[in-house]
């Protein structure tokens, strides 16, 4: 079955139990939260390289890479339809919540649907090259969830068209399509003996298509 959904928390029916508590496999197996092994990623010295690393991390299901890609002040801004369907989650996800979801998703652990029934695990992810719709521009006033006056970094944003395919054990594929507004933080970093721009993802605003 193929259906459209929101990114990440469009997977909320797979990853969150009915009580609204985000599930992490480490609570059961004593591990570090699961996820694929880390792959070697190029230094994210440009927005383009950061987005390329984001694609690689999803397709390799690399949880350690995802932890490093996200800024500690990270926020996912959820769609109103998602908030209405899952009011206990709230309007945003912070760094910890986002990483917990990725740990579950990348580890291949089963989740739960909205009724609390177990669902099949995600076996692989295909992320078609995202199509950039708008240039990277300074983000200085909206949304309200970011600290635009932080002296340690500046924030830029851009819209992308995305297509994700989350392949689940068996023959079921969850397809995610539509727009996502990505927010990135630029800061200085010492790399190979020189001070260079260093980019991390500080947020996503979900504008993807609703499910059918």
């Amino acid at each position: 079955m193929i259906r459209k959904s929101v990114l990440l928390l469009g997977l909320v029916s797979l990853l969150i139990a009915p009580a609204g508590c985000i599930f992490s496999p480490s609570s059961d197996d004593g591990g570090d939260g699961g996820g694929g092994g880390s792959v070697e990623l190029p230094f994210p010295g440009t927005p383009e390289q950061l987005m390329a690393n984001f694609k690689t991390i999803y397709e390799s299901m690399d949880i350690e890479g995802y932890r490093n890609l996200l800024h500690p002040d990270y926020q996912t801004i959820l769609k109103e339809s998602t908030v209405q369907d899952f009011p206990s989650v709230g309007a945003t996800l912070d760094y910890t919540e986002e990483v917990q979801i990725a740990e579950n998703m990348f580890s291949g652990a089963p989740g739960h649907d909205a009724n609390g029934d177990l669902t099949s695990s995600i076996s692989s992810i295909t992320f078609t090259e995202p199509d950039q719709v708008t240039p990277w521009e300074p983000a200085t006033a909206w949304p309200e969830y970011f600290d635009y006056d932080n002296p340690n970094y500046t924030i830029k944003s851009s819209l992308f068209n995305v297509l994700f395919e989350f392949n689940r054990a068996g023959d079921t594929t969850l397809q995610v399509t539509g727009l996502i507004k990505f927010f990135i933080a630029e800061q200085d970093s010492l790399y190979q003996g020189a001070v260079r721009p260093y980019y991390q993802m500080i947020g996503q605003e979900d504008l993807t298509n609703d499910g059918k």
Side-chain angles (χ1 to χ4, degrees):
M1 179 183 66
I2 297 177
R3 60 187 175 94
K4 298 177 181 178
S5 183
V6 294
L7 176 65
L8 300 183
L9 252 286
L11 297 171
V12 72
S13 61
L14 301 176
L15 306 173
I16 297 183
C21 177
I22 295 176
F23 170 75
S24 174
S26 61
S27 61
D28 292 329
D29 61 19
D32 63 359
S38 181
V39 298
E40 186 172 352
L41 298 167
F43 178 79
T46 65
E48 292 74 22
Q49 187 60 63
L50 180 71
M51 294 304 296
N53 290 353
F54 180 67
K55 180 178 186 296
T56 299
I57 285 166
Y58 256 80
E59 293 199 320
S60 60
M61 301 172 74
D62 173 16
I63 186 58
E64 188 60 34
Y66 198 54
R67 291 189 189 106
N68 294 330
L69 179 128
L70 299 187
H71 192 278
D73 295 340
Y74 179 91
Q75 295 283 328
T76 290
I77 304 167
L78 302 177
K79 293 177 61 172
E80 181 60 32
S81 58
T82 304
V83 175
Q84 290 177 358
D85 289 342
F86 300 92
S88 62
V89 175
T92 64
L93 299 172
D94 62 16
Y95 176 92
T96 300
E97 293 167 325
E98 183 74 17
V99 168
Q100 285 179 327
I101 290 171
E103 285 175 348
N104 188 20
M105 182 165 55
F106 293 168
S107 73
H112 298 79
D113 62 20
N115 297 318
D117 299 322
L118 283 173
T119 62
S120 300
S121 60
I122 294 173
S123 56
S124 64
I125 301 171
T126 302
F127 184 10
T128 301
E129 190 71 35
D131 178 26
Q132 188 169 3
V133 177
T134 63
W136 291 106
E137 296 178 335
T140 57
W142 183 259
E144 63 188 15
Y145 303 106
F146 303 114
D147 181 6
Y148 299 105
D149 297 324
N150 193 305
N152 297 316
Y153 57 78
T154 58
I155 300 175
K156 297 179 179 180
S157 65
S158 177
L159 277 172
F160 284 77
N161 259 318
V162 300
L163 169 57
F164 288 83
E165 290 184 329
F166 297 90
N167 306 305
R168 291 163 57 180
D171 59 358
T172 303
T173 298
L174 174 65
Q175 190 177 78
V176 177
T177 64
L179 291 170
I180 296 176
K181 192 171 190 177
F182 290 97
F183 296 84
I184 59 176
E186 178 184 347
Q187 55 197 316
D188 289 335
S189 176
L190 183 64
Y191 178 69
Q192 294 183 343
V195 176
R196 295 183 54 187
Y198 172 67
Y199 292 90
Q200 288 181 294
M201 190 170 291
I202 200 169
Q204 296 180 48
E205 183 177 5
D206 179 19
L207 303 169
T208 54
N209 301 319
D210 279 324
K212 292 183 177 180

